[in-house]
Amino acid sequence: QLSTPQASPERVPSPEEQEWAGPEALCPGWLEDEAPDGEVPGDSGDPDGATHAYERLQSALCQEGLPPTLDCSAEPRTGFGPLDMTVCILGSPTPFLPVLLEGGTRCPGAMVLCLSPSWASRVPSESCPGAWSLLLSRGVSFKVGGHSALESFVPPRRANYVTGTFAPGDPEGGWVGELARDLDCPTGGSVPLAHRLEDTLVTRWVLAARANLPVPPTLAFVLGTRGDLPAQPAGPAVRLVRLQDPQGQQSLVQEE
């Protein structure tokens, strides 16, 4: 039996869909006026890459089918004390997006993404002499359903746990490592640790010599002296050959 298609009534969007419709609905003209000028909502200019990082976050959220970040920074959040949980992610948003989304589901509002060194400050710790406390004046917090909001905190919000993009090659690696140095709270890494973990030779030597774990057969040629490596790496799978001068060493390389 054939029937002519009937026009379906237009569906009225829910209040949630209207609220999370995108930057145009949240702030008319945002894309036309602010985006070309390099402005982050609630921020001015891009002196330290905050705009680029914010745009990467919006792109990642869009690819996951999640709503864009709401700009709530005009009304500062208050009432945070030292016992309130604040897990701070420093630097690039994309490597930690799954952590931010899962954390926002399990502990809404506790996961705070810091995209700029101007959003945080270091003050001498009141509980650990010689250490520092990290205070957040601004950040992107995550909630249930992948919802996120750009917020400001008055007074600044103290971080209870800090991690971020400590990779040496990452553009944000410099300021991330500086903000996370010598804190009075647990941290998820450091720039020196990232250097160690990205050095394949050091990693394999530690696994083979210190942990007695099998590693792939490794023949490493090292130029000059490296103080972070022993004279004779332990373990039959790792062999280290030191070359004082790369010129005229072809026969030694071929022999090894």
Side-chain angles (χ1 to χ4, degrees):
Q1 181 180 358
L2 301 178
S3 61
T4 58
Q6 301 294 326
S8 59
E10 183 178 359
R11 187 174 67 89
V12 178
S14 65
E16 291 80 5
E17 292 174 323
Q18 294 175 351
E19 179 182 6
W20 295 95
E24 302 90 337
L26 300 174
C27 182
W30 179 75
L31 289 179
E32 293 79 9
D33 297 336
E34 296 191 73
D37 296 334
E39 298 281 341
V40 172
D43 201 356
S44 59
D46 190 23
D48 43 30
T51 298
H52 182 58
Y54 187 88
E55 291 174 349
R56 280 189 293 169
L57 172 62
Q58 302 315 302
S59 176
L61 293 174
C62 180
Q63 291 178 8
E64 295 294 332
L66 299 174
T69 302
L70 283 177
D71 181 12
C72 303
S73 59
E75 299 180 1
R77 293 283 305 277
T78 60
F80 289 101
L83 298 181
D84 290 295
M85 177 57 64
T86 301
V87 179
C88 176
I89 307 294
L90 299 171
S92 176
T94 47
F96 289 93
L97 185 59
V99 178
L100 292 165
L101 295 176
E102 181 65 17
T105 299
R106 294 180 178 270
C107 301
M111 305 293 296
V112 181
L113 174 64
C114 177
L115 298 176
S116 166
S118 63
W119 294 10
S121 60
R122 288 159 52 91
V123 298
S125 174
E126 298 179 356
S127 57
C128 300
W132 301 81
S133 296
L134 186 66
L135 304 181
L136 300 174
S137 59
R138 175 172 292 190
V140 179
S141 62
F142 286 76
K143 301 174 178 62
V144 178
H147 292 180
S148 58
L150 176 64
E151 298 179 320
S152 57
F153 308 109
V154 177
R157 186 173 175 177
R158 180 177 178 271
N160 305 111
Y161 181 85
V162 176
T163 189
T165 50
F166 297 104
D170 195 283
E172 294 92 0
W175 67 263
V176 169
E178 181 61 26
L179 285 181
R181 180 176 52 85
D182 299 330
L183 296 181
D184 59 357
C185 67
T187 58
S190 66
V191 173
L193 180 61
H195 276 285
R196 286 276 184 169
L197 295 178
E198 289 194 356
D199 191 318
T200 305
L201 180 57
V202 173
T203 303
R204 292 187 181 184
W205 181 85
V206 170
L207 292 175
R210 299 290 181 86
N212 197 27
L213 294 176
V215 299
T218 304
L219 174 62
F221 296 93
V222 179
L223 293 177
T225 59
R226 285 186 51 175
D228 57 340
L229 293 173
Q232 295 294 333
V238 180
R239 177 168 176 79
L240 180 64
V241 179
R242 297 181 183 272
L243 302 177
Q244 299 301 327
D245 185 357
Q247 301 297 329
Q249 301 289 329
Q250 291 84 352
S251 59
L252 175 60
V253 172
Q254 293 178 2
E255 179 182 352
E256 294 292 340

